[in-house]
Amino acid sequence: MKFWKSLVGKLWYTIILLVACILMTLGVFLLPYIDSNFSADESGEIKKMFVLVCIVGFSLTTFFALFLLSKITQPMQKLIQATNEIRKGNYDTRLSLVTSDEIGELASTFNHMAGELEDTIRNLNHEKERVASVLRSMRDAVVSFDSEGKIISTNPQGAKLMSAWQGIEWNKIDVRYSPQEQNEDTDNDVPEPLRPLFKAVVSHGEDQSAEVHVKQSVWSVQMAPLHTEPGNRGAVAVLRDVTEEAHLEKMRSDFIANISHEIRTPLSMIQGYSEALLDGMAASPKESEELIQVIHDESLRMGRLVKDLLDLARMEAGHIDVTLDRVDLNQLLDRVYRKFSVAAKDQGLLLEYKHADGPLILEAADEDKLEQVFTNLLDNAFRHTPSGKHIYIISSMISEDELEIRIQDEGKGIPREDLPFIFERFYKADKARVRDVGRGTGLGLAIVKHIIDAHKGTIEVDSIHGEGTEFTVLLPIKQHKSDKSKLT
């Protein structure tokens, strides 16, 4: 800052002007008086003295200005520089002025203010970092919107979710979100499923919650208003993916419904036939024997159902008991083939076994569990293949580390949309089909899936509705020690 624009500069040239005005006034009135009342020699001396006084006066004002400059202007300049440093974010800036006047008191107050401001900013930054860390560590998506629907801030999960949702054409994915609703607010960042909640929160200023369905996922949404002094300035939404919970809840309700149905049928038959025996409806010992045989068969069916349920429960809990040993897969499949050959002849089915040319040896596997797998798959094929059709067992070695076993049938087949669900408990591709009395429990494929997983293998299914079904089992020849420890 230039000197004459500073406070001291203005004060200095103001004093000089005042002194100059006073001296000029004195000179105008005093000089004629001196010339008229004093001699020429005395008048000259007086004028010299007057000029000397003017020079001394101007010198004193200059010295006074320099004094003020060192006492006021320079401390003020330091204060201005320190203030600018604070404005730039350097909150550790302090003044080193030590005086007992008002300037020193101002410097002390400034240092105290700067210290308090530094502590406040530090605490705010720490709080901001804590909040940001909490938001980053949350599995839920957190998104805040202003009153116009623009995104203010998100955590990483929220940013990823908003980016994915904004790329969806809602009118094609979900008919509940019409194109007319999309065109209402083209600049709105709020995704279509959240707009009803957002409008309710902004208009009423109250918390809102709902479950929204997006594609195949389900989201639980909690939305609360962001308040300011004048009113509502937006909303913050917390979104949690509850797809797995919704799926498990549906599986639970379906399981209860299915198990109730499966148990009710044999119980009804046992109750009915036993009441018939008690009422003496059997006219002969042969009829009594037939009624007793039905009761016996249905009790066996209930026993198999309970056993399969217990086995499946243990498998899903991770407690599957297997005995690992060297298994000759050719011998195992040959034994299964002979076991089903008689049933194939009785039902008029053509069962063929196409074995591999060379040996098929599994280094670590449970022979009994694998026999249960192939028994369940063949039993499933027998129940859905009409007489005169073929069923194939095909084994081969596809690599040095993996074996393949395929069970093919020419039966009814499975609709394409049902294929992803056939390994679930009690799932029926044909909803109208009544299970054959005395046969499967509806848990066979679920048990198969768990046994194959326990052997670190995979099972896949391919089917054409009305033409047939093929199950493909892939088993590793060798297993790592860590895998063996998990199985035993």
Side-chain angles (χ1 to χ4, degrees):
M1 182 183 293
K2 296 182 179 179
F3 173 74
W4 56 83
K5 290 185 178 181
S6 65
L7 177 63
V8 174
K10 294 177 181 179
L11 181 61
W12 177 65
Y13 60 70
T14 300
I15 295 173
I16 289 179
L17 289 176
L18 289 175
V19 173
C21 291
I22 294 172
L23 293 176
M24 289 176 63
T25 303
L26 290 175
V28 170
F29 293 99
L30 186 60
L31 291 178
Y33 176 79
I34 293 174
D35 290 338
S36 61
N37 292 283
F38 294 94
S39 62
D41 295 336
E42 292 175 345
S43 176
E45 292 296 330
I46 292 174
K47 290 179 180 180
K48 289 180 181 179
M49 185 177 294
F50 182 76
V51 172
L52 182 60
V53 170
C54 291
I55 294 173
V56 172
F58 280 107
S59 299
L60 289 176
T61 57
T62 302
F63 175 76
F64 178 68
L66 295 175
F67 176 77
L68 291 178
L69 178 65
S70 62
K71 293 298 182 180
I72 298 178
T73 302
Q74 291 179 353
M76 292 298 292
Q77 288 289 342
K78 293 182 179 179
L79 180 61
I80 292 172
Q81 293 176 359
T83 305
N84 286 329
E85 292 297 321
I86 294 289
R87 180 177 59 84
K88 295 177 182 178
N90 299 323
Y91 301 109
D92 58 346
T93 303
R94 298 293 185 273
L95 290 173
S96 58
L97 299 174
V98 182
T99 59
S100 58
D101 54 9
E102 290 82 357
I103 299 296
E105 186 177 353
L106 177 62
S108 177
T109 304
F110 176 86
N111 290 336
H112 180 72
M113 179 200 69
E116 293 291 334
L117 182 61
E118 183 179 13
D119 292 340
T120 301
I121 296 298
R122 184 186 300 111
N123 293 333
L124 288 176
N125 287 333
H126 289 168
E127 186 66 25
K128 182 180 178 181
E129 291 174 359
R130 283 194 293 269
V131 172
S133 299
V134 171
L135 291 177
R136 284 195 303 270
S137 62
M138 289 178 62
R139 296 181 60 186
D140 300 340
V142 181
V143 187
S144 59
F145 305 95
D146 61 16
S147 58
E148 301 298 326
K150 294 290 185 181
I151 295 178
I152 300 175
S153 61
T154 66
N155 64 344
Q157 292 79 3
K160 183 179 179 180
L161 182 63
M162 291 298 102
S163 177
W165 281 14
Q166 287 173 359
I168 297 177
E169 296 182 13
W170 299 105
N171 58 326
K172 294 183 179 180
I173 300 299
D174 196 333
V175 295
R176 291 175 294 179
Y177 309 120
S178 63
Q180 289 78 10
E181 292 180 352
Q182 293 187 46
N183 295 331
E184 288 180 0
D185 300 309
T186 55
D187 295 333
N188 198 325
D189 291 337
V190 182
E192 297 293 338
L194 303 183
R195 289 194 180 183
L197 283 178
F198 176 75
K199 292 178 181 178
V201 169
V202 172
S203 58
H204 302 297
E206 298 178 353
D207 293 2
Q208 301 288 334
S209 62
E211 282 192 356
V212 298
H213 297 258
V214 178
K215 290 187 175 180
Q216 301 299 323
S217 60
V218 182
W219 294 84
S220 175
V221 182
Q222 299 288 332
M223 191 174 292
L226 291 175
H227 293 290
T228 55
E229 291 298 332
N232 188 3
R233 70 179 182 94
V236 58
V238 179
L239 300 94
R240 174 174 295 178
D241 188 354
V242 294
T243 305
E244 186 65 23
E245 289 86 342
H247 179 66
L248 291 176
E249 178 62 24
K250 184 178 183 302
M251 288 181 61
R252 185 190 67 82
S253 59
D254 290 345
F255 173 75
I256 293 174
N258 286 322
I259 194 65
S260 299
H261 172 75
E262 295 292 335
I263 292 178
R264 184 171 60 247
T265 300
L267 280 178
S268 298
M269 297 187 70
I270 292 174
Q271 181 180 356
Y273 281 92
S274 61
E275 289 177 352
L277 287 173
L278 291 174
D279 293 340
M281 295 180 63
S284 64
K286 184 177 181 181
E287 291 183 359
S288 298
E289 184 180 352
E290 291 177 353
L291 295 178
I292 293 172
Q293 184 63 44
V294 171
I295 294 174
H296 178 70
D297 292 341
E298 292 302 322
S299 63
L300 292 178
R301 179 183 175 188
M302 288 187 62
R304 288 194 300 269
L305 178 61
V306 173
K307 178 181 179 300
D308 287 348
L309 281 173
L310 293 176
D311 290 343
L312 186 59
R314 286 195 296 268
M315 292 177 184
E316 290 182 345
H319 305 297
I320 177 171
D321 298 326
V322 295
T323 302
L324 297 178
D325 203 352
R326 184 182 174 91
V327 176
D328 187 334
L329 199 60
N330 279 330
Q331 293 182 2
L332 171 61
L333 291 175
D334 187 64
R335 183 168 67 250
V336 173
Y337 167 72
R338 291 196 303 271
K339 180 172 65 174
F340 277 89
S341 295
V342 177
K345 292 179 180 179
D346 293 341
Q347 298 183 30
L349 298 173
L350 303 176
L351 179 62
E352 296 185 23
Y353 173 34
K354 299 179 180 179
H355 56 79
D357 296 333
L360 298 178
I361 304 297
L362 295 175
E363 298 295 338
D366 189 315
E367 186 171 357
D368 292 336
K369 295 296 183 184
L370 291 180
E371 183 173 353
Q372 183 181 1
V373 167
F374 302 127
T375 299
N376 287 347
L377 291 178
L378 284 172
D379 182 70
N380 191 69
F382 270 55
R383 285 187 287 114
H384 298 97
T385 303
S387 299
K389 298 293 185 178
H390 286 82
I391 296 177
Y392 300 96
I393 305 173
I394 305 171
S395 62
S396 62
M397 178 180 291
I398 60 175
S399 69
E400 295 180 356
D401 301 322
E402 198 169 38
L403 301 179
E404 180 186 75
I405 303 93
R406 290 181 291 160
I407 307 294
Q408 296 178 353
D409 66 61
E410 297 177 349
K412 301 175 182 179
I414 304 171
R416 183 68 58 180
E417 61 272 14
D418 291 322
L419 290 179
F421 310 104
I422 64 169
F423 293 107
E424 294 183 2
R425 296 170 294 184
F426 297 114
Y427 188 82
K428 297 180 182 180
D430 184 2
K431 305 299 187 297
R433 176 175 57 83
V434 178
R435 196 180 308 278
D436 297 334
V437 176
R439 301 299 292 271
T441 61
L443 302 173
L445 291 180
I447 294 175
V448 165
K449 182 70 165 60
H450 281 286
I451 294 176
I452 296 300
D453 289 343
H455 283 80
K456 304 304 175 184
T458 59
I459 181 169
E460 299 175 352
V461 59
D462 188 22
S463 180
I464 300 176
H465 190 50
E467 297 185 12
T469 303
E470 178 181 82
F471 285 90
T472 302
V473 177
L474 299 176
L475 293 172
I477 295 177
K478 298 180 180 179
Q479 294 192 28
H480 298 291
K481 294 182 178 179
S482 58
D483 297 336
K484 293 182 182 179
S485 62
K486 295 177 182 178
L487 294 173
T488 55

